[in-house]
Amino acid sequence: MENLKGMAWMTLAMFGFAVADAFIKVAAETLPVGQILAMFGVGGTVIFGIIAKLQGVRLISPVLLLRPVMLRNVAEMGATICIVSAIALVPFSTFSAILQANPLIVTLGAALFLGEKVGWRRWTAIAVGLAGVLIIIRPGLEGFDAMVWFAVFGTIFVSIRDLATRPVPNTISASQLATYSMASIMAAGFAVLAYTGGAAMPSLAIWGVMAAALVMGLVAFLAITNAMRTGDISAVTPFRYSRLVFALIIAVVIFDEQPDLWTLIGAAIVIATGLYSFAREAQLRHQARATPAN
């Protein structure tokens, strides 16, 4: 039952993220990327700051200077700039398919920088999964859109953020980290807006769209936090890929996109290798628990 609850929370989180991305894409039709980031960052900082204060968390704290926290905040800035740019400039289905490579890149980074042991099977899965990303973007071939690099680099920055989160002490609450992340997004938004210009007064409808994006993002954050605290990680984590299902439905129904065959093949390869990597990690963890200590 706990696993089922965890799966439900993870699915809700992925639905929330996909819908929030869709709202941002709608807003990007009339607002520049920097303004979207600034508006989202201001709203998120206020909401998560209030939550942190209600929990008795000190926001102005020396933890801001911890190396993992600083790296996480910088990666958050890079991730949001690239991802919102990708949402604005790249087909919704393509962006969402590339983003599914995040777990594989996290596994790669954990092996290279955090000393995590990765066997040849998972190395093979990583290589095949990254080949799937190349199939999606098809660099150098006819129809290649250079804007997809925003999605690629956004996925890399998200993976760096996730890796930087691992060494963060457990004494630092999720609401505290979320407040710092949103403040970083706010700063990135104002910096991008100062460079590009083009700020516009949002219409009442766009204010509503941005508010809906923020609410769905908040729901997704709370849901994924509950998901990772409920049930077995090996059972819950694969449901991250439900985000692509929701994104493809949104792309076809809302944005009238028709994902091509190669995008679907590449996405299937990325998801299959990611699921295999999760399954292999769970198997090794089970074997380690079953082996008696000498």
Side-chain angles (χ1 to χ4, degrees):
M1 183 58 69
E2 287 300 299
N3 282 344
L4 288 175
K5 288 180 181 178
M7 294 171 189
W9 279 119
M10 181 62 78
T11 304
L12 175 61
M14 296 303 104
F15 173 76
F17 283 130
V19 173
D21 290 343
F23 280 127
I24 288 173
K25 189 169 184 67
V26 171
E29 294 176 0
T30 56
L31 297 180
V33 167
Q35 187 170 353
I36 292 173
L37 290 172
M39 292 172 66
F40 197 86
V42 169
T45 301
V46 170
I47 291 172
F48 284 113
I50 291 173
I51 293 173
K53 280 297 184 182
L54 290 175
Q55 294 174 342
V57 175
R58 247 181 91 201
L59 292 176
I60 306 301
S61 164
V63 302
L64 268 170
L65 301 179
L66 292 176
R67 186 175 299 175
V69 174
M70 289 193 293
L71 177 59
R72 188 181 188 279
N73 291 337
V74 171
E76 189 76 79
M77 295 172 73
T80 50
I81 291 172
C82 291
I83 284 176
V84 174
S85 298
I87 291 173
L89 299 171
V90 176
F92 197 72
S93 54
T94 302
F95 152 75
S96 302
I98 293 171
L99 194 61
Q100 305 312 303
N102 166 245
L104 290 172
I105 298 175
V106 169
T107 301
L108 173 65
L112 294 177
F113 303 110
L114 299 181
E116 184 173 308
K117 292 182 179 179
V118 174
W120 68 269
R121 292 181 180 85
R122 282 202 287 164
W123 278 116
T124 302
I126 291 170
V128 174
L130 295 180
V133 174
L134 291 178
I135 290 173
I136 296 170
I137 65 177
R138 300 187 289 282
L141 299 180
E142 185 179 355
F144 169 67
D145 182 359
M147 295 298 104
V148 299
W149 289 116
F150 279 117
V152 172
F153 284 110
T155 304
I156 292 172
F157 275 120
V158 168
S159 302
I160 293 172
R161 180 202 65 192
D162 292 346
L163 288 166
T165 303
R166 294 192 180 189
V168 173
N170 292 331
T171 53
I172 301 176
S173 70
S175 61
Q176 192 173 8
L177 282 178
T179 304
Y180 296 157
S181 291
M182 289 297 171
S184 300
I185 293 171
M186 177 178 62
F190 283 121
V192 171
L193 192 59
Y195 178 76
T196 63
M201 175 58 69
S203 65
L204 187 61
I206 294 300
W207 277 112
V209 166
M210 287 300 299
L214 187 60
V215 169
M216 292 308 298
L218 177 60
V219 168
F221 174 81
L222 295 175
I224 199 171
T225 301
N226 285 330
M228 298 311 292
R229 292 174 175 174
T230 308
D232 298 327
I233 292 178
S234 59
V236 172
T237 303
F239 280 78
R240 282 179 177 270
Y241 291 114
S242 62
R243 180 173 184 169
L244 182 58
V245 176
F246 296 125
L248 289 176
I249 294 172
I250 291 170
V252 173
V253 175
I254 305 298
F255 299 118
D256 198 26
E257 295 180 9
Q258 297 296 326
D260 62 33
L261 179 61
W262 288 112
T263 297
L264 296 176
I265 290 173
I269 291 172
V270 171
I271 290 176
T273 52
L275 290 173
Y276 173 80
S277 183
F278 284 137
R280 182 62 183 165
E281 183 180 357
Q283 182 184 27
L284 293 174
R285 201 178 282 135
H286 176 75
Q287 290 174 351
R289 286 198 298 262
T291 303
N294 292 329

